[in-house]
Amino acid sequence: MEGGLSGNTVVPNSNDKSTVLDVKPLRMLIPQFPDTSEGPPFVCVPPNGPFPSGFSPFFPFSGPQGSQSTPDLNQNGLISTILPIRSFRVENASPMDAAHGTHKQKLVASSSVKKKAKVDKGSKLSFTTPINFDPGISLSERDDGNRELVENVLSRFDALRRKLSQMEDAVELHSGIIKRSDLKAGNMMMSKGVRTNMKKRIGAVPGVEIGDIFFFRMELCLVGLHAQSMAGIDYIKGELEGELVALSIVSSGGYDNDAEDPDILIYSGQGGNAGRDKEASDQKLERGNLALEKSLHRGNEVRVIRGFKDAIFQASKVYVYDGLYKIQESWMEKGKSGCNTFKYKLVRIPGQTGAFATWKSILKWKEGVSSRVGIILPDLTSGAEITPVALVNEVDDEKGPACFTYLATAKYLKSFNLVQTTLGCNCHDACRPGNSNCSCIKKNGGDFPYIANGVLACRKPLIYECGPSCPCIRNCKNRVSQGGLKFHLEVFKTSDRGWGLRSWDSIRAGAFICEYAGEVFDSDKARQDDGDGEINEYIFYTNRLYEPFKWNYEPESVGEASSDATEDYDIPSPLTISAKNNGNVARFMNHSCTPNVFWQPIVYEHNNGAYLHICFFAKKRIPPMTELTYDYGTPCQNETEGDNTTSGRKVCLCGSPKCRGYFY
């Protein structure tokens, strides 16, 4: 160690073997530092600096470290630029290699070679990291976010995740290989700097609102709500006292965390669980457990994220941000395994918007709809839909909208030659992604439009689904829009915009919600008032002008060349759908200038004809009890009388920060 950090120094007269060096044994437990008389002074500085003149940081601490204080390297996840625990690299690696890095890893080379070889053999997917990829997020925005930035990061993550899922589904993989497009997408975004709120903080996170939902733990990391991709407790070392401080916890059912009061959480400490190679043991007062104990005495706020099963996709979880809590007390008790477990009682700070409490109420409504306050009808579809739709009014005494006949799908009064009729697919079981012989997949440009859970992968000018004329089975995954309602919806009375539509369930981005059902007319016929002198407000025009928006993934993010593929609608012939007298729940969706729902034209064949259907999909993740809205669009000139472009214009009350003030 002579010479401090100056490198390997040649000892004078090193060729003289008679010289005996005064070298300390390697097994000395106490570090030995040279005297000042033996050479240059020994420099001991934290990895992040500051460094004295003549010295510089060394790898991996040479990169920017953000704006936080010097971390304690003995604690997990305390450096904001380091990826969360058990995350993995994607540089020069296939996605399936990366997926294995998220599970219990053995860091012994000999034990991992065989697993890696199996992955490489089974996977045909390969990605390269773009050299000049611009994340569009500044260094300051990575440290401190805002609402628009948080939604942008989540939207880009989900677009990439859907594309990776679509690519995985199209590759026939060997059994035993795990698909984790969420982990791959999250790691790609982190490595490219597409994230925000990297600076750890106590309390609220900029841009994240109470009630926000997340479907993957990686999303919590990307927006800075909870930096640990696996551990349930996130913490830092305090700047002043140097003690651990708990920042957030995720209660996802791994322990016995429950309480009847939705504003109280009884949280079990971490550790001690039985694993594949170990027995259950007593929990220790260290790391996250110690941080919670210190925060109990410190009295700081702790963010709480609650996780539970997705009502629609039972194999998945939904995480809801439930706001800020304070730890009220702690104790130790015997757990189900018979070992000692730490328990912490957290109480929600009063005055916050309801989140988990809303979920608890919805569970009661599903058990008995009569418990829903303001219920008028338990099912306004009268059984036309598999999933009932409640009619609710908590605002006034109105007993419901004007009468109409419920239709589950569009009703064509005459045949329209929209596209050339072709033969159906030749799949006799179910259409499978990657099947180059499936004619329906060919009509979609070679891509299967939906991923495994029925979520739309990408927007397209026009999507082709299998129809009744196709020999494939009725639950073929290319018939998503024909399966009816999957979410528990309710039609409710708004305070200022008539009747609206919302869901009791959480909705994923790309999930099918409903079709715009009604009577299909040509444009001239639909503009009439049906002879009763009333304006038809329940009408959908396919030829209106709509604000363009990008929803699909960025090709550059997976190493592909920039694509000129358009997401604009391509409808062969304009149609108009009237839901005034005959329609479904879509007729109650209100307009918004920043909607959370978009429409997608879908064609499938029936009775030797190709028919167009307007289907609605979630534009982004939608929490329960959030109103569903879409953009009504702007009329073309031939839809208005003469040059009067203000004809039919109404005052918009959507409340969006980007509201244009009117709609049609």
Side-chain angles (χ1 to χ4, degrees), residues 233 255-257 266-270 283 289 341-344:
I233 307 172
Y255 299 88
D256 185 18
N257 304 325
I266 306 300
Y267 187 78
S268 299
Q270 62 183 192
Q283 292 184 349
N289 296 336
T341 302
F342 289 104
K343 292 286 187 177
Y344 302 90

Side-chain angles (χ1 to χ4, degrees), residues 188-482:
M188 287 180 179
M189 293 187 65
M190 285 184 175
S191 64
K192 296 173 176 63
V194 186
R195 58 187 305 188
T196 186
N197 292 321
M198 292 175 62
K199 182 174 67 177
K200 289 197 171 186
R201 71 200 76 214
I202 297 173
V205 175
V208 180
E209 298 179 355
I210 296 174
D212 281 350
I213 59 172
F214 307 87
F215 293 96
F216 303 97
R217 288 285 295 265
M218 290 300 292
E219 295 174 314
L220 305 176
C221 303
L222 288 171
V223 300
L225 187 61
H226 186 83
Q228 304 293 334
S229 62
M230 297 289 290
I233 307 172
D234 190 16
Y235 56 93
I236 59 172
K237 193 169 185 178
E239 296 180 0
L240 300 177
E241 302 85 353
E243 65 182 17
L244 302 184
V245 180
L247 302 179
S248 59
I249 59 173
V250 176
S251 176
S252 56
Y255 299 88
D256 185 18
N257 304 325
D258 199 8
E260 289 298 325
D261 190 335
D263 292 331
I264 294 177
L265 172 64
I266 306 300
Y267 187 78
S268 299
Q270 62 183 192
N273 277 352
R276 186 175 297 177
D277 302 323
K278 64 177 182 179
E279 296 181 354
S281 60
D282 293 341
Q283 292 184 349
K284 298 179 181 180
L285 191 61
E286 60 183 13
R287 305 197 308 181
N289 296 336
L290 181 58
L292 289 175
E293 188 68 29
K294 293 295 184 181
S295 291
L296 165 62
H297 302 289
R298 183 188 180 107
N300 64 277
E301 300 167 336
V302 178
R303 299 186 295 270
V304 169
I305 301 101
R306 303 222 191 204
F308 36 84
K309 285 186 178 181
D310 188 343
I312 304 301
F313 306 103
Q314 291 289 324
S316 303
K317 284 187 176 180
V318 184
Y319 300 92
V320 57
Y321 174 45
D322 200 32
L324 301 176
Y325 282 64
K326 284 192 176 183
I327 306 173
Q328 190 176 82
E329 59 178 306
S330 67
W331 65 94
M332 179 174 281
E333 65 180 41
K334 293 288 185 181
K336 294 179 179 179
S337 63
C339 299
N340 290 327
T341 302
F342 289 104
K343 292 286 187 177
Y344 302 90
K345 180 179 180 181
L346 291 93
V347 179
R348 196 166 189 258
I349 297 176
Q352 300 180 89
T353 304
F356 182 66
T358 301
W359 292 73
K360 298 277 282 188
S361 298
I362 291 172
L363 291 178
K364 294 180 180 178
W365 301 344
K366 289 182 177 180
E367 293 174 357
V369 70
S370 59
S371 63
R372 174 73 173 101
V373 176
I375 188 75
I376 298 174
L377 286 175
D379 184 16
L380 64 78
T381 75
S382 299
E385 299 283 3
I386 299 175
T387 306
V389 179
L391 179 64
V392 177
N393 186 352
E394 299 176 277
V395 176
D396 52 35
D397 296 329
E398 187 175 356
K399 296 303 181 182
C403 294
F404 69 99
T405 301
Y406 196 94
L407 292 180
T409 187
K411 179 181 180 181
Y412 276 77
L413 302 181
K414 68 175 184 177
S415 177
F416 295 93
N417 295 322
L418 296 176
V419 294
Q420 183 178 358
T421 303
T422 59
L423 295 176
C425 67
N426 53 0
C427 304
H428 293 282
D429 182 9
C431 295
R432 300 187 182 279
N435 181 5
S436 58
N437 296 321
C438 176
S439 60
C440 290
I441 293 180
K442 289 181 180 178
K443 287 185 284 187
N444 284 299
D447 291 327
F448 202 81
Y450 306 103
I451 57 179
N453 57 2
V455 167
L456 184 66
C458 299
R459 284 176 69 212
K460 287 193 172 186
L462 192 63
I463 286 179
Y464 292 84
E465 284 191 352
C466 296
S469 60
C470 293
C472 56
I473 58 179
R474 289 182 60 85
N475 60 347
C476 171
K477 294 186 182 299
N478 196 31
R479 301 175 186 258
V480 169
S481 71
Q482 304 165 54

Side-chain angles (χ1 to χ4, degrees), residues 44-298:
C44 182
V45 297
N48 290 340
F51 297 90
S53 176
F55 295 91
S56 59
F58 51 91
F59 181 84
F61 305 105
S62 55
Q65 297 299 319
S67 58
Q68 70 182 63
S69 60
T70 302
D72 181 355
L73 292 180
N74 292 324
Q75 303 299 333
N76 292 330
L78 299 185
I79 302 178
S80 63
T81 54
I82 291 182
L83 299 183
I85 297 174
R86 301 197 184 190
S87 59
F88 50 88
R89 296 177 299 176
V90 293
E91 294 185 10
N92 302 322
S94 73
M96 300 314 298
D97 293 339
H100 273 276
T102 65
H103 296 278
K104 295 183 177 179
Q105 301 176 353
K106 296 182 179 179
L107 301 180
V108 182
S110 61
S111 65
S112 61
V113 171
K114 292 183 179 180
K115 288 185 178 181
K116 186 176 187 300
K118 180 180 179 181
V119 173
D120 288 339
K121 182 178 179 181
S123 175
K124 299 179 183 179
L125 305 180
S126 179
F127 302 97
T128 56
T129 303
I131 299 175
N132 298 320
F133 180 80
D134 181 12
I137 300 175
S138 66
L139 292 177
S140 61
E141 288 176 327
R142 291 182 199 176
D143 273 350
D144 299 287
N146 53 59
R147 185 61 179 175
E148 184 176 2
L149 188 57
V150 165
E151 291 190 341
N152 175 268
V153 169
L154 293 176
S155 176
R156 294 167 71 178
F157 163 82
D158 207 72
L160 178 58
R161 182 197 63 81
R162 293 193 308 270
K163 182 59 180 179
L164 293 177
S165 294
Q166 185 186 46
M167 296 170 70
E168 286 178 342
D169 292 345
V171 177
E172 184 177 353
L173 300 176
H174 293 282
S175 61
I177 293 181
I178 300 173
K179 300 177 182 180
R180 288 303 300 268
S181 59
D182 58 314
L183 298 178
K184 300 167 199 170
N187 186 64
M188 287 180 179
M189 293 187 65
M190 285 184 175
S191 64
K192 296 173 176 63
V194 186
R195 58 187 305 188
T196 186
N197 292 321
M198 292 175 62
K199 182 174 67 177
K200 289 197 171 186
R201 71 200 76 214
I202 297 173
V205 175
V208 180
E209 298 179 355
I210 296 174
D212 281 350
I213 59 172
F214 307 87
F215 293 96
F216 303 97
R217 288 285 295 265
M218 290 300 292
E219 295 174 314
L220 305 176
C221 303
L222 288 171
V223 300
L225 187 61
H226 186 83
Q228 304 293 334
S229 62
M230 297 289 290
I233 307 172
D234 190 16
Y235 56 93
I236 59 172
K237 193 169 185 178
E239 296 180 0
L240 300 177
E241 302 85 353
E243 65 182 17
L244 302 184
V245 180
L247 302 179
S248 59
I249 59 173
V250 176
S251 176
S252 56
Y255 299 88
D256 185 18
N257 304 325
D258 199 8
E260 289 298 325
D261 190 335
D263 292 331
I264 294 177
L265 172 64
I266 306 300
Y267 187 78
S268 299
Q270 62 183 192
N273 277 352
R276 186 175 297 177
D277 302 323
K278 64 177 182 179
E279 296 181 354
S281 60
D282 293 341
Q283 292 184 349
K284 298 179 181 180
L285 191 61
E286 60 183 13
R287 305 197 308 181
N289 296 336
L290 181 58
L292 289 175
E293 188 68 29
K294 293 295 184 181
S295 291
L296 165 62
H297 302 289
R298 183 188 180 107

